[in-house]
C-alpha cells in the first residue's frame, strides 16, 4: 500500500493543517482554524497518555498533544461546529453513520502513520483494521484509496463476501490514478471473471493491458487471452504474446503453451513447437510438463520415438491430471 504521504506524526499534522478552509466531506461544515479534532478510542488514548504513541513519546511530543501527558489536564473538548457534528450526541441513523465514518477515518490515519496497516494489525485487530481500510477506500485520495479498496476487497473475497469484494474492486478501478491503476483493473477483471461476467472481465483486463508495463501486465494479458481464445484466436495470440514478452512467471510460459495450441490448430507446427520449447525451458512444473507432453506428441509425429518417450516420461509427473493420464497411456501402450 502506498502511504508515503503519512509516514509519521508530523506528516499527519501537516496534512491536517491543509484541511483548514475546506468543507468536511461528511457533514459539510466549513473547517476553520482550531476546529480540527481527533476522535480516538480508549486504547489509543491510553497510548497517547502513557507516551507510547507516535505523537507523544518520552523523547518528543508533537505540538498540540502536550495536554495528553499523564497527570496533566487534558485539553478541553472543542465546541466548534465541526466537533459538535463529529462528536456530539446524535439520534438519527444517517448522522450516526457519518459520525462512525469520521471516527473510523481518524483511526485509519493513526493506523497508517503507526504501522501502515501491516499484517500484524489484521491478525490482532481485524475488524478495526477493516474499518480503517473501509474509511480510506471511500474517503481517501486517489492511489491511497485505491490501495485500501484493493486490500479490503481481497479480504472480503477470501471471506466469501463476493458482492462486497466486487464493489471494492470497482471503487479501486475508479479511484486509482498512477502506479496502482493496472492492479486495480486486473483485480476487478479477476473478480468479474470469477463471477461469470466475461465481457466485463475482458474490458477490465484490456484496461490493465493498455496501462503498459506493470507488475499486473502479464496476468492481465494471459487472462484476457484465455477469455478470447475460443472466440477470437487471432486477438488471443496477440495478447498472449504481450504476456510472453514480460517473461514473468508463470504467465509467460502459460501464454506460450496456449499460443502453441493456437498455432497447431492453424497448421503452423513449427511455430507451435518453438512456443512449447520456450514454455518447457521457462515454465514452472505445471507449464513445463504440459509443454513436455505437447513436444512429445510433436516428436512422435516426426517419428522420433525415443525422444518422444523422454518427454512423455516428464509429462507423467504433471500436476495437470489429464496431461499425466494421457502420458501414462502412451507409455503403457508402447511399453
Amino acid at each position: 500500500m502506498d502511504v508515503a504521504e503519512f509516514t509519521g506524526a508530523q506528516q499527519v499534522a501537516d496534512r491536517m493543517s491543509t484541511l483548514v478552509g475546506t468543507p468536511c466531506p461528511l457533514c459539510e461544515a466549513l473547517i476553520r482554524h482550531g476546529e480540527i479534532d481527533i476522535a480516538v478510542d480508549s486504547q489509543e488514548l491510553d497510548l497517547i497518555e502513557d507516551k507510547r504513541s507516535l505523537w507523544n513519546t518520552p523523547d518528543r511530543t508533537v505540538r498540540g498533544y502536550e495536554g495528553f501527558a499523564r497527570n496533566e489536564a487534558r485539553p478541553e473538548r472543542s465546541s466548534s461546529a465541526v466537533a459538535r457534528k463529529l462528536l456530539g450526541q446524535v439520534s438519527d441513523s444517517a448522522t450516526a453513520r457519518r459520525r462512525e465514518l469520521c471516527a473510523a477515518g481518524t483511526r485509519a490515519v493513526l493506523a497508517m502513520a503507526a504501522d501502515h496497516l501491516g499484517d500484524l494489525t489484521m491478525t490482532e485487530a481485524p475488524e478495526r483494521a477493516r474499518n480503517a481500510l473501509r474509511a480510506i477506500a471511500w474517503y481517501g485520495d486517489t492511489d491511497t484509496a485505491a490501495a485500501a479498496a484493493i486490500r479490503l476487497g481481497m479480504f472480503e473475497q477470501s471471506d466469501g463476501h463476493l458482492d462486497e469484494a466486487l464493489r471494492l474492486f470497482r471503487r479501486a478501478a475508479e479511484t486509482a490514478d498512477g502506479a496502482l491503476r493496472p492492479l486495480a483493473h486486473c483485480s476487478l477483471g479477476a473478480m468479474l471473471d470469477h463471477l461469470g461476467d466475461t465481457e466485463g472481465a475482458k474490458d477490465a483486463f484490456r484496461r490493465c493491458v493498455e496501462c503498459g508495463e506493470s507488475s499486473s501486465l502479464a496476468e492481465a494479458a494471459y487472462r484476457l487471452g484465455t477469455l478470447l481464445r475460443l472466440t477470437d484466436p487471432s486477438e488471443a495470440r496477440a495478447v498472449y504474446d504481450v504476456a510472453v514478452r514480460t517473461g514473468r512467471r508463470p504467465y509467460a510460459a502459460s501464454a506460450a503453451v496456449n499460443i502453441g495450441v493456437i498455432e497447431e490448430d492453424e497448421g503452423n507446427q513449427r511455430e507451435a513447437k518453438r512456443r512449447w520449447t520456450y514454455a518447457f525451458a521457462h515454465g514452472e512444473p505445471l507449464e513445463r510438463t504440459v509443454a513436455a507432453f505437447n513436444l512429445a506428441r510433436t516428436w512422435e509425429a516426426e517419428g522420433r520415438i525415443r525422444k518422444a518417450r523422454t518427454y512423455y516420461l516428464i509429462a507423467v509427473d504433471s500436476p495437470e491430471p489429464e496431461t499425466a493420464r494421457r502420458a501414462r497411456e502412451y507409455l503403457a501402450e508402447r511399453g
Side-chain angles (χ1 to χ4, degrees), residues 139-303:
Y139 296 100
D141 295 325
T142 59
D143 275 4
T144 301
I150 291 169
R151 187 168 183 194
L152 185 57
M154 290 176 177
F155 288 130
E156 296 291 0
Q157 184 176 1
S158 66
D159 287 346
H161 304 148
L162 302 187
D163 288 343
E164 180 62 14
L166 177 60
R167 190 169 78 104
L168 286 159
F169 289 140
R170 284 194 190 281
R171 174 64 177 170
E174 293 166 358
T175 306
D177 180 21
L180 279 175
R181 185 174 175 79
L183 176 59
H185 285 298
C186 189
S187 299
L188 175 59
M191 188 74 253
L192 289 168
D193 188 21
H194 179 72
L195 293 173
D197 183 353
T198 301
E199 293 306 313
K202 286 179 185 177
D203 181 65
F205 288 137
R206 278 196 184 96
R207 290 176 185 273
C208 178
V209 172
E210 289 167 0
C211 289
E213 185 59 41
S214 73
S215 60
S216 303
L217 177 59
E219 179 182 358
Y222 169 73
R223 297 187 69 153
L224 176 57
T226 301
L227 292 174
L228 292 166
R229 186 171 154 189
L230 295 179
T231 58
D232 192 341
S234 179
E235 185 181 357
R237 177 172 43 204
V239 179
Y240 276 141
D241 240 341
V242 173
V244 173
R245 287 196 297 271
T246 69
R248 187 178 291 272
R249 294 184 176 184
Y251 303 107
S254 295
V257 169
N258 291 346
I259 291 175
V261 174
I262 293 172
E263 295 290 355
E264 182 181 49
D265 289 343
E266 296 181 356
N268 303 323
Q269 196 63 42
R270 184 174 180 178
E271 180 63 14
K273 186 176 177 182
R274 185 178 76 85
R275 297 292 189 163
W276 293 330
T277 300
Y278 171 88
F280 182 76
H282 297 91
E284 303 291 343
L286 175 61
E287 299 78 38
R288 178 179 168 83
T289 53
V290 171
F293 179 80
N294 289 336
L295 286 169
R297 291 190 299 104
T298 301
W299 296 125
E300 184 180 12
E302 294 177 0

Side-chain angles (χ1 to χ4, degrees), residues 80-142:
S80 69
V82 173
R84 284 199 306 273
K85 289 189 176 183
L86 176 62
L87 299 171
Q89 295 298 318
V90 293
S91 56
D92 66 283
S93 59
T95 307
R97 180 59 181 151
R98 287 181 175 180
R99 177 185 171 198
E100 291 170 5
L101 285 170
C102 280
T106 298
R107 288 196 295 272
V109 173
L110 295 174
M112 288 169 68
D115 58 12
H116 296 185
L117 284 170
D119 292 334
L120 188 63
T121 304
M122 289 303 304
T123 301
E124 294 188 346
E127 197 52 42
R128 178 179 168 200
R130 284 172 190 262
N131 286 340
L133 285 167
R134 192 171 291 113
I136 300 167
W138 291 98
Y139 296 100
D141 295 325
T142 59

